[in-house]
Amino acid sequence: MVKGLWAKLDKGVLIFDGAMGSMLQSRVSGPGVCLEELNLTEPGMLRDIHRAYVDQGVDVIETNTLGGNRIKLGEQGLGRKAEEINGQAVKIAREAASDRCLVALSVGSTGKFLEPVGTLTFDEATDIFREQIGAAAREGIDLVVVETISDLKEMRAAVVAAREVTSVPIMATMTFQEDGRTLLGTSPEAAAVCLESLGVDIIGANCGTGPESMQQVLRELRRSTSTPVVVQPNAGIPRLEGERTVFPMSPDEMASFYVGFVREGANAIGGCCGTTPQHMRAAIKAVEGLKPTTVEPVKAGTAVSSRSRVVKLGSGFPLVVIGERINPTGRKKLSGELVEGKLDEVLKEAREQVEAGADLLDVNVGAPGADEAGLMAGAVLAVQRSVAAPLVLDSADPDVLEAGLRAADGKVLINSVNGEQEIMDKILPLAVKYGAAVIGLTLDNRGIPQKAGDRLKIAERILDSALGHGLSGNDLVIDPLTLSVSTDQELALETLSAIELIKRKLGLAVTLGVSNISFGLPERGLLNSAFLAMAVAAGLDGAIMNPKYRRMSETFHASAVIKGRDEKALRYIKLYGGQQEEVRPGESPAQTTPADRLFRAVFEGHKESILSLVEESFQQGMDPLEMSNSILIPALEKVGRRFESKDFFLPQVMLSAEAAKIAFGRIKEALKGRETVSRGKIIMATVQGDIHDIGKNIVTMLLENHGFEVLDLGINVSPERIAEVAVADKVDSIGLSALMTTTMLEMGKTVEHLRETGITCPVMVGGAAVTAEFAAEIGANAYGKNAVEAVNIAKKLIDRKK
């Protein structure tokens, strides 16, 4: 059957089924029904829905297991039945398919963010997904579909888990918002880079929006990958009609979009919330005989990524700076901190290097006597919380590298392998498993060859081994290595020749640590800068260097402009045209006041230093209320503006909020005994029947940081409970959250109950499927489309009420 999947992709368009959840929701009533439990209690109902899709001619049906992991099921008291529920779901789908179509396991989110944004670890997530996917695989599945995911790291965990327990193809679809990014700021390009490197067989987007918004996401995915692409939109944005949530798009309307998707290069189509067998039948008729338009991806290069940023190395791309300063070699302070398990200096170097222009950050925590594996994981998590630059994991120990790979977001670069087969056989499989690129050093057990031709031969050997292990040429960067001119000046010329040879013969990206050229000589920076310029002229794609060293940085960026590797000199102008932010690249924070440093710490989310800065400001005589009103809240408001302008994403907002929360905690201590004024008292609750609380918790944290007193009632809260607390505590406003389309109706019932009981305070609603129109229909006073906007709306609502 799986062969049929590839045949269909080769010849035409693969058709998936439509919604399962909204089909079930139309047949069951009452809040809090666990749809996955219906696999045990209502197998006939599920079989009928599957058969309705099969009878319309779809190629793939998906099991009723979107929330079938033990975390989600545990919220319904069913965690121990995860394996039974998933196994039974496959049996039901298999029976309905009757060998007429493929059966795919639907795997959805745990509902928890992974570190560093949340608290769930990568290991915990992979274990959860392994359990679910393994149980289904034992019953015989043709495909694993990981879908409706907003956290790229959670997607990585699910894919890694799937590869560990089954060999069937994997499809991975993320949920993008109307701004074209996921909730955590991942772009289609960043998702494609990461998922393609993991060997995912079909990449795409599902849920989130209607088909209109998905068109641009499809275009970006198609330009970013040569892997088959799938789109599975909702049947429009839901609206409330009486007691029902209705998705407005008819089968014929959806069909016209499906034709457009195929013409934009979609290899597979399907439906998400609100789509029915009739929608998929119309889609099948509309695309019959069509073949996806061939869309040439943009030039690949060697792409690496964080959650939100993609950097490419190779000919035709801008020159890349790899910051080298997170390395304890020869640095007593950093080495000492690492031995003690501290990461303050690591974070300081990460931020300063990115400010100074680093595109990638090399992370080396190999201090003698330190727990290198634990430190690597900790450093990766900490750095990713603080900066968006993709990472280079620098270690010769496979265990250390694996710890870093499991902690990382996106596609990282491993530094490094060399020409020794034993080393390649240890490191390259890790790159394949975790979707990483690799730097190959042109040395082997005989050392670094003196001649460029011999270095080329080692590069060829590394390339052959990489291809043999399952990597592509775009997953390999070569470092031809530099030897000091103090011993033999010819060696520098051989390195330059090696750069040219590797570029010309192999077409691989080339990077270089340039500082060894000057070892043993005075004025090393002068030699390093001159050699860097010559290496750029020879074809260098990336320099491993200290971006904070001004002479090197200036040489690098000037060389990039002259070589044509800085389009329109935009980066040069940004760095040297007087447009820097509060602190210029390389400027010492010591040159600013304690208040300036505190503002910056909140704005950038420096949790590790926030308390000491608060204490320093107190010692300078700053009043706690002044600190709150003139530093903390303005810093948070600036973060909010950056979020609204798409310069910041949710993880940065959360990091800043967490730093501010620490500061506000200390301010409260300082204000004990002094009367303070709250901006208002707000109830926050996830409505009855809904067990999702990520969005609510983020809004709660931001509201508290902006001076509101928040009464968080938790999840699955009845209208009666909300009304009771509202009266007893005389609240100024109420915030309601819901994720699912069925529980959106509970918002309306809650608002109605509040008004019937005489509670007139303003109500704000929000959630993934909630819209401003829906808010107006149910009588809510406002709609918060995101956490930052929710804070601004709360201010206006309460000010208006007062």
Side-chain angles (χ1 to χ4, degrees), residues 1-10 102:
M1 289 290 284
V2 175
K3 290 182 180 178
L5 182 150
W6 300 119
K8 189 73 173 179
L9 285 170
D10 287 340
L102 302 176

Side-chain angles (χ1 to χ4, degrees), residues 11-85:
K11 295 179 181 178
V13 182
L14 187 70
I15 310 292
F16 283 78
D17 59 7
M20 171 61 75
S22 54
M23 292 284 287
L24 287 172
Q25 288 160 2
S26 67
R27 303 185 184 203
V28 295
S29 60
V33 175
C34 177
L35 300 184
E36 288 73 24
E37 189 180 17
L38 298 177
N39 290 302
L40 305 181
T41 61
E42 296 287 349
M45 182 188 300
L46 292 167
R47 198 176 297 114
D48 289 345
I49 293 173
H50 283 314
R51 281 178 178 161
Y53 284 116
V54 174
D55 290 342
Q56 298 301 338
V58 301
D59 301 307
V60 187
I61 56 172
E62 297 186 29
T63 56
N64 174 41
T65 53
L66 181 68
N69 61 75
R70 68 170 178 262
I71 294 289
K72 277 289 186 68
L73 292 173
E75 291 166 343
Q76 305 272 9
L78 298 167
R80 294 182 179 179
K81 291 190 174 184
E83 293 191 27
E84 181 186 2
I85 286 172

Side-chain angles (χ1 to χ4, degrees), residues 11 20 41 93 161 187 200 245 331 403 467 478 515 543 639:
K11 295 179 181 178
M20 171 61 75
T41 61
S187 66
V200 168
T245 302
R331 302 183 61 198
L467 296 175
I478 297 296
S515 60
V639 170

Side-chain angles (χ1 to χ4, degrees), residues 605-644:
H606 300 182
K607 292 200 306 180
E608 71 286 348
S609 63
I610 199 77
L611 272 179
S612 63
L613 290 170
V614 170
E615 297 296 345
E616 186 179 359
S617 297
F618 282 162
Q619 291 168 11
Q620 295 285 327
M622 181 172 288
D623 180 77
L625 285 178
E626 180 190 356
M627 181 184 295
S628 174
N629 295 329
S630 65
I631 297 178
L632 302 187
I633 290 178
L636 290 170
E637 289 173 343
K638 183 174 181 180
V639 170
R641 291 192 296 272
R642 289 293 181 88
F643 179 80
E644 291 293 342

Side-chain angles (χ1 to χ4, degrees), residues 347-461:
L347 289 175
K348 176 175 175 288
E349 286 290 359
R351 293 171 183 137
E352 289 181 358
Q353 288 184 100
V354 169
E355 287 169 7
D359 301 290
L360 307 176
L361 292 176
D362 187 271
V363 179
N364 184 320
V365 291
D371 171 17
E372 192 176 350
L375 280 170
M376 178 62 85
V380 167
L381 291 172
V383 171
Q384 286 176 150
R385 283 181 66 93
S386 300
V387 298
L391 302 184
V392 182
L393 306 186
D394 189 349
S395 176
D397 187 331
D399 293 335
V400 173
L401 289 172
E402 185 160 24
L405 288 164
R406 294 179 78 80
D409 282 321
K411 179 181 180 180
V412 303
L413 185 57
I414 293 174
N415 186 13
S416 55
V417 298
N418 58 42
E420 294 185 45
Q421 195 61 50
E422 182 181 358
I423 299 295
M424 291 188 285
D425 289 342
K426 288 180 179 179
I427 305 298
L428 294 177
L430 291 176
V432 173
K433 180 177 181 178
Y434 294 103
V438 182
I439 294 176
L441 307 179
T442 58
L443 64 84
D444 55 20
N445 54 1
R446 292 171 293 184
I448 304 173
Q450 292 195 348
K451 296 298 182 183
D454 293 327
R455 297 187 204 183
L456 173 65
K457 290 177 182 178
I458 294 178
E460 290 173 333
R461 192 158 73 237

Side-chain angles (χ1 to χ4, degrees), residues 236-496:
I237 303 299
R239 63 171 183 254
L240 187 65
E241 291 187 0
E243 291 291 313
R244 297 188 309 128
T245 302
V246 175
F247 288 84
M249 279 200 172
S250 69
D252 287 342
E253 288 177 291
M254 289 284 287
S256 65
F257 280 102
Y258 284 125
V259 171
F261 290 149
V262 175
R263 288 176 176 163
E264 292 278 1
N267 307 92
I269 57 173
C272 206
C273 300
T275 54
T276 65
Q278 290 70 39
H279 284 88
M280 300 324 299
R281 181 57 191 164
I284 291 168
K285 287 182 178 179
V287 304
E288 188 174 4
L290 294 181
K291 289 195 67 173
T293 302
T294 301
V295 179
E296 282 297 322
V298 294
K299 189 172 181 181
T302 298
V304 290
S305 71
S306 62
R307 180 191 299 112
S308 59
R309 184 171 299 172
V310 174
V311 175
K312 293 185 177 181
L313 295 92
S315 300
F317 296 105
L319 288 179
V320 170
V321 176
I322 303 174
E324 67 179 1
R325 294 282 294 168
I326 303 176
N327 190 322
T329 303
R331 302 183 61 198
K332 287 185 179 180
K333 182 178 180 181
L334 177 56
S335 183
E337 283 195 1
L338 290 173
V339 171
E340 294 176 12
K342 297 179 180 177
L343 296 170
D344 293 1
E345 191 70 13
V346 168
L347 289 175
K348 176 175 175 288
E349 286 290 359
R351 293 171 183 137
E352 289 181 358
Q353 288 184 100
V354 169
E355 287 169 7
D359 301 290
L360 307 176
L361 292 176
D362 187 271
V363 179
N364 184 320
V365 291
D371 171 17
E372 192 176 350
L375 280 170
M376 178 62 85
V380 167
L381 291 172
V383 171
Q384 286 176 150
R385 283 181 66 93
S386 300
V387 298
L391 302 184
V392 182
L393 306 186
D394 189 349
S395 176
D397 187 331
D399 293 335
V400 173
L401 289 172
E402 185 160 24
L405 288 164
R406 294 179 78 80
D409 282 321
K411 179 181 180 180
V412 303
L413 185 57
I414 293 174
N415 186 13
S416 55
V417 298
N418 58 42
E420 294 185 45
Q421 195 61 50
E422 182 181 358
I423 299 295
M424 291 188 285
D425 289 342
K426 288 180 179 179
I427 305 298
L428 294 177
L430 291 176
V432 173
K433 180 177 181 178
Y434 294 103
V438 182
I439 294 176
L441 307 179
T442 58
L443 64 84
D444 55 20
N445 54 1
R446 292 171 293 184
I448 304 173
Q450 292 195 348
K451 296 298 182 183
D454 293 327
R455 297 187 204 183
L456 173 65
K457 290 177 182 178
I458 294 178
E460 290 173 333
R461 192 158 73 237
I462 296 172
L463 176 59
D464 289 342
S465 186
L467 296 175
H469 279 88
L471 296 172
S472 75
N474 288 327
D475 295 319
L476 184 61
V477 179
I478 297 296
D479 184 342
L481 299 171
T482 309
L483 294 170
S484 177
V485 293
S486 64
T487 55
D488 188 342
Q489 294 172 19
E490 289 293 325
L491 295 178
L493 299 179
E494 290 296 328
T495 296
L496 297 175

